Amino acid sequence: TAAKLFSKQWYNRIDADEIGHKIIKKTPIAYKKIIKTFGNGILDENKNINRKRLGDIVFNNKTLKKLNSITHPIIIKEIKKQIMIIQEKCGSKTKIIIDAPLLLETNTKDLVDKIIIVKCGKENILKRLNKKHPKEKIENILNAQMPPDEKLKYADFAIDNNMLLIICIYIR
């Protein structure tokens, strides 16, 4: 959501999760490696990777690192490619925001000049996501990521997303 708000302020947005979803569908090398690693049980009736089944496996069996070792190098390569395309089109000084929840975990912070962390308490995360996923799965996802307090050490800016009250500031 924060990255989308920046894109409304003339930032070009690159979404690492969107890239990851496309890679699973459209990159034959990743597709084959993922099936070889996690089995045919992750495929739907059309032979597409069912992300929910894959997620259930990697977050319950602690095999997320295996999936990341397949997808992250391709995602990082695509992010770099998109940065080059945007800069060729809009100039080297153009504003780009990269929405990459695992930027720090993948040691790719050198791709950016500044790091913005959107901070949210665990209770609020559980409230927001409990309609999509069971609590246990959400906790497994959170446990697979760098702890928020550790991420904050790298932040140039932090946005606190725990607020229930929204404050609007208007500048003339």
Side-chain angles (χ1 to χ4, degrees), residues 37-58:
T37 304
F38 299 101
N40 289 328
I42 63 169
L43 297 176
D44 65 18
E45 60 279 350
N46 297 319
K47 302 287 185 203
N48 294 315
I49 294 174
N50 181 306
R51 289 184 29 243
K52 182 186 178 328
R53 288 183 202 159
L54 179 60
D56 288 345
I57 291 170
V58 300

Side-chain angles (χ1 to χ4, degrees), residues 14 19 23 73-83:
I14 299 172
I19 293 170
I23 283 169
I74 302 168
I75 292 169
I76 293 164
K77 184 177 176 181
E78 181 61 25
I79 289 172
K80 289 177 179 179
K81 179 181 165 188
Q82 287 188 24
I83 290 170

Side-chain angles (χ1 to χ4, degrees), residues 21-135:
H21 298 166
K22 288 178 187 172
I23 283 169
I24 288 174
K25 288 181 183 176
K26 297 181 180 179
T27 306
I29 294 169
Y31 176 87
K32 288 176 186 174
K33 283 183 179 180
I34 292 168
I35 293 169
K36 184 178 179 183
T37 304
F38 299 101
N40 289 328
I42 63 169
L43 297 176
D44 65 18
E45 60 279 350
N46 297 319
K47 302 287 185 203
N48 294 315
I49 294 174
N50 181 306
R51 289 184 29 243
K52 182 186 178 328
R53 288 183 202 159
L54 179 60
D56 288 345
I57 291 170
V58 300
F59 290 113
N60 288 329
N61 296 333
K62 310 266 191 249
T63 55
L64 181 61
K65 285 183 182 181
K66 287 182 184 179
L67 177 63
N68 290 346
S69 71
I70 297 167
T71 59
H72 283 177
I74 302 168
I75 292 169
I76 293 164
K77 184 177 176 181
E78 181 61 25
I79 289 172
K80 289 177 179 179
K81 179 181 165 188
Q82 287 188 24
I83 290 170
M84 282 181 28
I85 290 168
I86 291 168
Q87 289 179 331
E88 285 173 6
K89 181 180 172 187
C90 304
S92 62
K93 300 282 185 193
T94 191
K95 300 185 290 186
I96 301 172
I97 189 153
I98 302 171
D99 187 354
L102 299 178
L103 179 86
L104 297 172
E105 288 87 341
T106 57
N107 295 315
T108 52
K109 63 181 182 275
D110 61 320
L111 289 176
V112 298
D113 298 319
K114 300 289 182 196
I115 296 174
I116 302 169
I117 302 293
V118 179
K119 186 176 111 175
C120 186
K122 190 173 183 179
E123 298 93 28
N124 284 334
I125 293 171
L126 292 171
K127 281 181 201 172
R128 291 174 188 167
L129 294 177
N130 73 354
K131 294 173 187 164
K132 293 181 184 179
H133 306 289
K135 182 180 178 182

